[in-house]
Amino acid sequence: MGNDRYNAVVVGAGPAGSTAALMMARNNLSVALIERGKYPGSKNMTGGTIASMPFQQILPEYWNIQGIPLERRIVSDELWLLDNDSAVRIGFTGKKFGMAPYNKHTILRYKFDRWYADQAVKAGAKLFTSCLAVDLVYHKTGPLSKKVDGVMLEGGDVIHADVVILAEGAQAALTQKAGLRKRLKPNEMTLYVKEVLELPAEKIEDRFNLEKDEGASIGMVGYPPSPAIGKGGIWTNRDSLSIVVGGYLNQIVGKGLNPLQLLERFKGHPLVKRLIQGAKPVKYMGHIIPKGGFKKIPTLVDDGIIVVGDAAEMISGRRGMDLAMITGKYAAEAAAQACALDRYGRDILSSYEERVKGSFFYQNMKKGKNVEVYFNKFQDADFLITKAMNDFAYKYFEQNLDTDKNNLRKMLEELINMQPLGKSAKDVLSGLQNWGVL
Ligand SMILES: Cc1cc2nc3c(=O)[nH]c(=O)nc-3n(C[C@H](O)[C@H](O)[C@H](O)COP(=O)(O)OP(=O)(O)OC[C@H]3O[C@@H](n4cnc5c(N)ncnc54)[C@H](O)[C@@H]3O)c2cc1C
């Protein structure tokens, strides 16, 4: 491998990197895909579901592809505002989502990423696993100018390439080395832990009210990461459940929380306990999500280099994998154009940046640009709203001996006594944006 030259080298075989490699190989570019894990996905984690519509931009009707490791098609999507022993449940169940072209599928990354990288290999990309890229190498283009011209691997081997695509995920060490992104501060990332719990398919279908192969996704706010701002969640796989909990790193550390204890506490909640009863833990993992938001999007291109996916902080609400794939696709197209022109400068590669800036997710991120700041300032916002909604619902559903008018007055009084109504409205709005509902 040492000192080989390719049209492009991609660092990281997650959804962003494998998409870029696949699309470039399809375009007859020579591509090296570098992955530090023993196999793609061995170090990766998500909730999670993958959105169908964006994925189809890369692999149309992907669900028909032989051997694709999809778990379940999501027909039920819920958000639970969870209090100590109750929940306000907001959600939608749509049988239409159970039919092609579907809405979302659950996946397990240790199966999915391996399969997906293999699609890039089948298209002609060369995959190198257990291979850590430790630095960028440069080529002088003038007395004062240089371009990125490849990567150096642990051990000293160099892979040269006209274009380097950094798809290295949230930590983004090389993106930082290239001077394109700053190190994330603890208040600019969330830390999540996850357990995969085995449970027979029939039990899953019974407990979540599903038919065969149908799936459910439940996001939970309030109680799970209490007293930090974050989320918990449960996703149904074919014969296992994914259970996840976490929150902002600065709050987890600052409040002396231990992620493992958070997970155990979450699993012990009466409404969660019921769902996971008898399930056997088979995998445990942890991961961060970059949460700098719109204001922290790094420089996306420079001479000879493009940044995609989590490394580029492309996270919007609950969506990340599909945005990783789309940015991987855009990067592949920009690289193909550069190779056709045999010009690899920022001026040519910036077509990638323009497409990202014109995308729906960039607009969404822009709209929610103050959410992270808000939740770092008002760290109790999730709990206040969750608590208020649960108290409100309790009173609403309670069959007492008072008039409807008095009951409504008491409910409103309670809400107003908690905090000014304007602040509650802001909490709800920011919450909806943060939870990925708006
Ligand atoms: C708890 C949690 C829940 C989530 N839920 C969802 C969800 O339900 N839906 C959704 O769409 N998104 C979800 N996301 C976000 C989603 O997982 C990410 O946005 C997505 O994985 C980003 O893909 P990526 O390819 O950019 O990076 P990654 O998936 O992180 O892949 C990066 C790859 O690069 C490799 N790598 C890193 N550095 C190097 C190096 N120097 N040399 C070689 N290889 C390297 C890594 O091993 C890895 O394979 C969730 C994330 C978390 C943590």
Side-chain angles (χ1 to χ4, degrees), residues 110-122:
Y110 46 90
K111 296 182 195 170
F112 180 83
D113 286 15
R114 198 172 199 168
W115 174 88
Y116 195 40
D118 199 40
Q119 304 310 298
V121 171
K122 282 185 182 150

Side-chain angles (χ1 to χ4, degrees), residues 205-225:
E205 283 146 19
D206 190 39
R207 280 181 201 180
F208 290 81
N209 195 18
L210 302 166
E211 287 180 37
K212 192 172 181 309
D213 295 337
E214 286 182 348
S217 153
I218 309 174
M220 301 183 190
V221 294
Y223 176 91

